[in-house]
Amino acid sequence: MTAGLWQNWVLPGIWITVQLLFYSAVVATAVAFAIGMARTHRSRLVRFLAGFYTEIFRGTSALVLMFWLFFVVPPLMGWQLVPMYAAVLALGLSYGAYGAEIVRGALNSVAPAQREAGVALSFTPWQRMRLILLPQAVPEMMPSFCNLLVELLKGTALVSLLGVGDVSFAAYLVRLATQDSAQIYTVSLVIYAVLAFAVTRSMKALERKTKRNIGIEPEPGLFGRVFERQAQDKVTGTTMPGGAS
Amino acid sequence: MTSFDWSAVSDFMPEFWDGVLITLQVLVLGSLISFTLGLVWAIAFRAPTRFVRWPVNVFTEFIRTTPLLVQLFFFYFVLPEWGIQFSALTTGTVAIGLHYSTYTAQVYRAGIEAVPKGQWEAATALSLPPHRTWMAVILPQAFRRVMPALGNYVIAMLKDTPILLAIGVLEMLNQARQFGGQSFQYTEPLTVVGVAFILIAYPASLLVRALERRLVR
């Protein structure tokens, strides 16, 4: 593979993939929190509508939704979405529905006494959600969100079928140019694996941060473990709880 | 602004049912592959030597964190270069089965770890040979726990079958796309396919939830 192919296709492809991941993660997070909180709402109607949304978007495939937004919406509505936006919208809406289930589960797992304490202090429902429930629920969501984000990263590869120039699309073009599939497809698989590793690591860091915010001392991360081991060797052989944090 | 054309829906029906058949075929065979291969990985995770455990861990983690689409292209374009030629349908089924086997492996792993330690010790005390320990003691207890989770992955696999259109497998979505290409009517076939996915996936997820209540207590 020549340098020109790298510079013109593969590197911009990586950038497009990262952008897609970022934008659709933002959309998905917004949808997940809105729908997930709506599923714990007092009103039956709100709960039903939110449940309906999750079942519809979890029931259908992200790729079908993407095709639908790309081919069906333009003639029905009279306007055309840029492929990139159609992709972000489809990914955000369907992965948001998965995220909503995570948010709902985490909100339900907060001890009921916490909510009751909020009622006793006459917090408004929104204050209870913002000040009591969410800070405790968010660290619970982090491991599941981490998995979902890796799924979302894998989902971004689908956009190449709509002609968005991401890593998979670049791989396709390079294959046509070089007639050598093994090399470029191995490279692009490795690119995705590295991106996924970066995503997992940053989500782990975020999880530790959110835990520390509510006073739970998290397990040390990758670097924390290294420092902890050094601290142990140098001094008396006992470790400080939590290590260097 | 065009309206929904019901005659296009009825025109699409023959192709649609062909697509449903292919989708279900991929789903059933892919599930079988993922169930068996996942079990192989799960047992390899517990191998006595790290020379087996580590490569299997790295391999499954790699498959699990990379997109199915790119893996499909890899199998479809690279294997023929090495002289192995399969049809698109076979390649797609094997790829989707392999991809999901890395998920089922995690499910089996959790299921096996949930079997109480005393069961292993009892098998050792009775000096059962390893294959009897697995087949007669551990796996029957693990299967009960993993059934609902496996069901969820079958549903997830159903929703990933449209990806096979990238290598030209004529499953539901590809049939819709082809029909749209010929008649310039995309709205109707794509809507039919979208609704069909919900109609299959939603009852299936209700079934899995019922199974979960029955088996996991």
Side-chain angles (χ1 to χ4, degrees), chain B residues 91-156:
Chain B
T91 313
T93 311
V94 170
I96 207 168
L98 175 68
H99 190 80
Y100 273 90
S101 75
T102 58
Y103 287 90
T104 56
Q106 301 296 335
V107 173
Y108 285 125
R109 160 143 73 182
I112 291 170
E113 275 167 9
V115 174
K117 204 159 171 267
Q119 299 287 329
W120 289 96
E121 290 163 357
T124 313
L126 293 169
S127 65
L128 292 180
H131 75 271
R132 287 277 291 161
T133 309
W134 280 103
M135 299 304 283
V137 182
I138 305 301
L139 290 183
Q141 299 183 60
F143 270 128
R144 219 184 135 79
R145 291 187 174 86
V146 302
M147 285 285 277
L150 290 184
N152 277 332
Y153 281 120
V154 172
I155 298 174

Side-chain angles (χ1 to χ4, degrees), chain B residues 123-192:
Chain B
T124 313
L126 293 169
S127 65
L128 292 180
H131 75 271
R132 287 277 291 161
T133 309
W134 280 103
M135 299 304 283
V137 182
I138 305 301
L139 290 183
Q141 299 183 60
F143 270 128
R144 219 184 135 79
R145 291 187 174 86
V146 302
M147 285 285 277
L150 290 184
N152 277 332
Y153 281 120
V154 172
I155 298 174
M157 196 189 284
L158 166 73
K159 285 178 270 180
D160 266 354
T161 52
I163 299 180
L164 266 57
L165 76 82
I167 56 171
V169 176
L170 280 170
E171 46 64 64
M172 285 200 270
L173 187 60
N174 207 5
Q175 295 279 10
R177 193 170 69 151
Q178 240 183 27
F179 184 86
Q182 284 160 7
S183 65
F184 298 105
Q185 285 177 306
Y186 282 101
T187 311
E188 292 79 10
L190 283 175
T191 309
V192 167

